[in-house]
Amino acid sequence: MSANIKRHRTGLGGIAFAVIRPVMSLIDIPLRALQRATGQGGMASFFILPNMAVFTIFVLIPFAINFVYSMTGGIEIFLNQRDFVGAEHYRDIFTCGSYLDPASCRRDGFWTAAQNTTLFVILQVTLLIIVSLITALILNRQIIGRSFWRAMFFFPVLLSPVVVGLIWRWILQRDGLLNFVLLEAFGAEQFNWLTDRTAAFAATIGVSIWAHMGFYTLILLAGLQAIPKDLYEAAEMDGTSKSRVFRRITLPLLMPNLIVVLVLALIKAVQVFDEVYVLTGGGPGTSTMYLVQYIYEKGFASELRNPGLAAAASIIMGAVLVVLTLMQMAASRRNEKKGER
Amino acid sequence: MGRITLEKLTKSYGSVEILHGIDLDIQDGEFVVFVGPSGCGKSTLLRQIAGLDKPTSGELKINGKLVNDVPAADRGLAMVFQSYALYPHMSVRQNLAFGLENARMPKAEIDSRIAEAARMLEIGDYLDRRPGQLSGGQRQRVAIGRAIVRNPTAFLLDEPLSNLDAELRISMRAELSALHQRLKTTMIYVTHDQIEAMTLANRIVVLRKGNIEQVGTPLELYNRPANRFVAGFIGAPSMNFLPGSILAVNLVDTVVTVLGEETLAVPRPAETAEAGEKITVGVRPQHIRLAGPGEDCIGAKVTLVEALGAETVVHARVSTGELLLAVLAGQHALSAGEDIRLTFDAKDLHLFGGDGLRIAGT
C-alpha cells in the first residue's frame, strides 16, 4: 500500500493524485452520508440509477410507445392524431389461409419477409457455426502466421455493415469485380449475382457469414483453447482416433461456447438488415426482403406508410427475440450449473 | 513384461537440447522414480517414453523392440497425469471405459475390467458420478483406475500426487506402493519430491539439466551420493557442505580437517585424492550432535531453533560464516545467540573433490 502511495506521489501521477485526492475527499462526505441513510443495498441502487435512467429513456419508453403505436391506425406521426384500433394490426397480420403460403395472408409482405427470414436464419446460422468452427479448429493448430490469420478473420467484424454491403455490391454487381475476374480468367459470361433470386439470397447469406464469422470464431477459439491439453494427450495414450476425439472430447467440451454462439447468431440473424439492405435492397422482387426491412419500409420508407402495422410487426419480432434471449439465459444457467458440478 | 531401455536418448526443442544422451535400463516390474528440480527434464523424459513426444536421437526400446516411431497408443503403456486428465463430461465409468472402447473390446470384458479396477481402488460407489463431483483423492484413484483397466506393460505417472494435500499425499503414496506390489507391473514415476522418491522407488534416477546424475536404490543414493548435487538433493533437510582439506591418505582411512578446526579419520581410503587437496566435506544434519566434554568439535552460534518435539532442528553459524543445520534427537533447551559445540563421526562424512564428484573410495 505504501509503495503505491509513493508511486502516485512522483511525476505526473503525483500531480494527478494531488488533484484527485481532494476531489475524492469532497465526494466521500455526501456518499458516506447517503450510505448511512440508505444502507449498502440502497447505495447499489443509487449507483445503477444513471444506467437505469438511460435504459428507461432509450429502451423502455420507446418500447411502450411502440406498443401503443401498434394499437393505432393512420399515417400520422403524432399519437394524439392517430385513431385507436386495438389489436387490428395483429389480427391483420395473423389473418392467413396458410402461414406457409404468404399469398393467402392479408399481410402477405409480412409473411414473405418472415418466411425469407426463417430460411435465412436456418441456413445462415447453420453455415455460420460450421464455418466458424472449422476456422477456429484450423486457427487453434500450430499453423504458419497464426496471429496474422486470426486478425484477418476478425477484421470484417470491425467494418460497418454499410461498408460490408458496399464492398460486396462492388464485387457482385453485374460489372463488379467477380464478373471481371471470371471473364478474365475463364472468359465466363457476366452473371447477375444480385438480380438472380437464388444467387441474391445466397449472396446475402454468404456476405452475412463473412461479416460476422470472425466474432464467433473468436468465441469458439477461446473455447478450444480452454480445453486442457492433457485431455488430448490422455486420449492419444488411449489410442483414440481423431474423429472420435472431435466427437467425444472436443465437441462436448466446446458445447457451452457453441450454445452461446448459436443463440447470439440466431438473434443477430433474425435482426439482419443493414448489410442486406445496402447489398440487394431486398430484391430482386422480395426474395431478400427480411423482417426488419419490412418493418422499416412499412414504418418509414414506402409510399403506403403504415406505422401502426410496422409497430405491430416489430412487437412480434421483439417477442421472438425475447424467446431466443430466454433460451440463451437458460442455456447459460445450465452451463454454469454444469461447471459447478 | 515391461522392460524399458533408453540408449543415448536426446531431445531438442529448436536449438535447445533438453535431454543430453540418456542411458537407462528399467527392468520388468521395477518401480523407478525420476527425481530432480524443476526444468531438469524428468517430465520430458517421461513424455518420450510415453510416445507423446518423439526423441531427437537415440533409441527407446520396450521389451527389446525399438519404439521410437511407434505411436503412443501402440506402446502398451498407460499414463497418469498430474492434472488427472479425466474427461469432465463423462462419468467415472465412461472415463474408465473410453480407452477400452477405442480398442473395440467386447462390452462384457470392459465391464469386468472396470469392476475389477473399481474393487481394487475402492471407487465402486461413484462409478456413475462425474469427475467434478469427486474429491481430489477420488479423482486420483479414477485416473489410476483408467490406467489399470488397460492392463499396460508399464505405468507412467507424472507427478500424480502433487495436487493433493499433504495428508492425502501420504496415504495415496502408501496405496501406490501397495498397488505396485500387487500388480508387479513396471512403474515409472516422476516427482520433484524426494520423500516420494525415497519411499516409493526400487531405484531412483536423479536428473539435472537433462543429464542423469545418479541411478541407484534410495539408500545407495542417501548413503553414497555420487556428487554434491545428489548429496544435496536427496535427504531432508539438505546435507551440510563445509570446506576441508585432506591431511593424509592411508591404507585404511583418509585423514581430513574440517573448517580447519576438527580433524577426523574417515575410515575409507581415498583413491583419487592426495594430501593437501582442498575438498568439500558433506555431513547430513541428522549426523551432527552436540559435542561431549573433551570431544573434538566445531564451535558455532545458534541462529534459529525449531523444536519439533521428537527432534530439534538447530541452525547455527560457524566461525568462518558457514551455516550449519543439525537435527538433534529429542528436545534441547537451546536459544538463538547461544554458543554451542557440534561434532560428528568420521564414518558419516562424505568427501567431494573440487569437481563436485565423490572422491573415489570414500
Side-chain angles (χ1 to χ4, degrees), chain B residues 5-6 11 69 73 75 164 184 205 244 270 285 302-303 334 343:
Chain B
T5 313
L6 314 178
K11 177 64 188 175
D69 296 316
R75 295 189 181 191
L164 303 179
K184 302 203 185 312
V205 178
V302 176
T303 57
L334 297 170
T343 191

Side-chain angles (χ1 to χ4, degrees), chain A residues 62-74 76 78-79 81-93 306-316:
Chain A
F63 185 82
I65 293 173
N66 191 48
F67 186 70
V68 175
Y69 256 94
S70 73
M71 301 285 194
T72 60
E76 290 78 9
F78 296 108
L79 265 178
Q81 296 166 358
R82 296 175 62 81
D83 302 325
F84 181 76
V85 296
E88 188 185 301
H89 294 304
Y90 295 97
R91 264 198 306 275
D92 267 6
I93 288 173
N306 190 342
L309 180 66
S314 68
I315 293 286
I316 293 166

